[in-house]
């Protein structure tokens, strides 16, 4: 078991009102799984993603990641967990525009204290892994949307995290580029990477091996990616 959420609740306070975002979420993910969390806008899937990614804290419940209880960790310790255990891929890529693809990919290694020569070597290997060995010196403005997302995936993977978290990873891409990115996620998963993908698109969710649907902050059903009830 690489991830376990037990009875997670998340409330936001707006003025004097308590607004529930997540209601009694329990979820287990095995190492090597490829899970899609699907739901419409406002369903709570981004809140769930932020909690899984240690970017936000639940109001109550328990969360174990790679055998560690993360609920009692302070902000510095959570940042360390994000750096070592989690890789993030976002809809809008979040690449630094003035840096080359190589330097963008190497950035997490800077925070991890890796020496410059090793950083560049590992970043180059990560770009080769996503098929961008010929774009190492290119800046984001010189790359297509699909290439930018592959750079972002290489950056997410460069620290060899336990889990790759992808938030609407094809949302800013055309259909062809989106399909290529989904093929890359499948390839990484076949290599043993645990992938958790957030999406509102059933076609995109269908690439995963398992699907969980969220609606109004609740997991309302669990399905395999082919639509069969588990």
């Amino acid at each position: 078991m690489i991830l376990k959420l037990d009875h997670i609740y998340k409330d936001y306070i707006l003025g004097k009102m308590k607004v529930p975002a997540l209601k009694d979420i329990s979820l287990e993910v095995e190492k090597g799984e490829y899970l899609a969390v699907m739901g419409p806008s406002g369903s709570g899937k981004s809140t769930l993603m932020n909690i899984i990614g240690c970017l936000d804290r639940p109001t109550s419940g328990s969360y174990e990641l790679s055998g560690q209880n993360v609920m009692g960790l302070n902000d510095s310790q959570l940042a360390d967990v994000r750096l070592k255990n989690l890789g993030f891929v976002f809809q809008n890529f979040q690449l630094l525009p003035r840096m080359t693809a190589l330097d963008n990919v190497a950035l997490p290694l800077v925070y991890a204290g890796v020496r410059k020569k090793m950083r560049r070597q590992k970043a180059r290997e990560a770009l080769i892994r996503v098929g961008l060995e010929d774009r190492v010196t290119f800046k984001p403005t010189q790359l297509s949307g699909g290439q930018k997302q592959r750079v972002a995936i290489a950056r997410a993977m460069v620290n060899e995290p336990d889990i790759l978290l992808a938030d609407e990873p094809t949302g800013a891409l055309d259909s062809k580029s989106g399909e290529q990115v989904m093929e890359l996620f499948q390839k990484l998963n076949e290599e043993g990477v645990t992938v958790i993908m957030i999406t509102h698109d059933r076609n995109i969710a269908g690439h995963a091996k398992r699907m969980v649907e969220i609606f109004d902050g609740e997991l309302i059903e669990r399905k395999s990616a082919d639509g069969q009830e588990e």
Side-chain angles (χ1 to χ4, degrees):
M1 190 69 57
I2 199 166
L3 180 154
K4 185 176 182 181
L5 300 172
D6 266 330
H7 303 295
I8 292 291
Y9 288 81
K10 178 63 180 181
D11 299 324
Y12 292 104
I13 304 300
L14 296 178
K16 295 183 179 180
M17 288 180 57
K18 183 173 77 172
V19 180
L22 297 177
K23 309 166 190 172
D24 199 18
I25 298 285
S26 292
L27 179 66
E28 295 182 356
V29 179
E30 299 286 350
K31 184 174 176 60
E33 267 204 81
Y34 186 172
L35 172 71
V37 179
M38 199 186 85
S41 178
S43 61
K45 62 184 187 298
S46 292
T47 301
L48 179 59
M49 171 83 159
N50 288 339
I51 287 173
I52 291 173
C54 297
L55 296 166
D56 197 2
R57 298 173 186 268
T59 304
S60 64
S62 66
Y63 176 21
E64 289 184 14
L65 177 63
S66 300
Q68 181 180 22
N69 182 355
V70 300
M71 295 293 287
L73 301 183
N74 61 34
D75 289 347
S76 176
Q77 290 168 326
L78 286 175
D80 200 45
V81 168
R82 290 194 298 271
L83 181 64
K84 294 177 179 177
N85 299 94
L86 300 163
F88 295 89
V89 178
F90 299 99
Q91 178 176 334
N92 60 354
F93 322 127
Q94 295 195 1
L95 301 177
L96 296 179
R98 296 184 180 180
M99 296 176 69
T100 64
L102 186 75
D103 289 336
N104 266 287
V105 173
L107 200 55
L109 300 172
V110 175
Y111 298 120
V114 177
R115 291 175 181 267
K116 185 175 182 179
K117 184 177 179 180
M118 181 58 70
R119 288 202 306 264
R120 296 182 70 81
Q121 179 183 327
K122 289 176 72 71
R124 187 178 296 274
E125 289 170 355
L127 284 166
I128 291 171
R129 191 177 185 186
V130 300
L132 288 179
E133 56 267 31
D134 59 343
R135 295 292 189 270
V136 169
T137 61
F138 284 46
K139 293 182 178 178
T141 53
Q142 299 170 295
L143 300 172
S144 69
Q147 289 170 339
K148 289 176 186 175
Q149 194 60 294
R150 282 193 276 163
V151 172
I153 293 168
R155 179 184 59 191
M157 292 304 302
V158 75
N159 260 344
E160 300 178 11
D162 294 332
I163 299 174
L164 180 62
L165 289 174
D167 190 359
E168 301 281 6
T170 63
L173 304 179
D174 60 51
S175 57
K176 182 180 178 181
S177 297
E179 196 63 33
Q180 291 171 342
V181 165
M182 296 317 298
E183 288 173 4
L184 178 55
F185 279 125
Q186 184 173 341
K187 175 175 173 284
L188 291 170
N189 179 247
E190 288 170 354
E191 293 172 1
V193 177
T194 305
V195 180
I196 300 177
M197 178 174 62
I198 305 291
T199 182
H200 69 279
D201 188 328
R202 186 171 293 276
N203 291 328
I204 295 300
H207 288 267
K209 295 176 182 175
R210 177 182 162 212
M211 185 194 304
V212 174
E213 296 196 45
I214 188 168
F215 187 74
D216 283 347
E218 298 182 70
L219 290 181
I220 57 171
E221 56 184 308
R222 296 165 188 259
K223 294 181 178 180
S224 60
D226 62 7
Q228 298 297 311
E229 293 288 342
E230 290 185 335

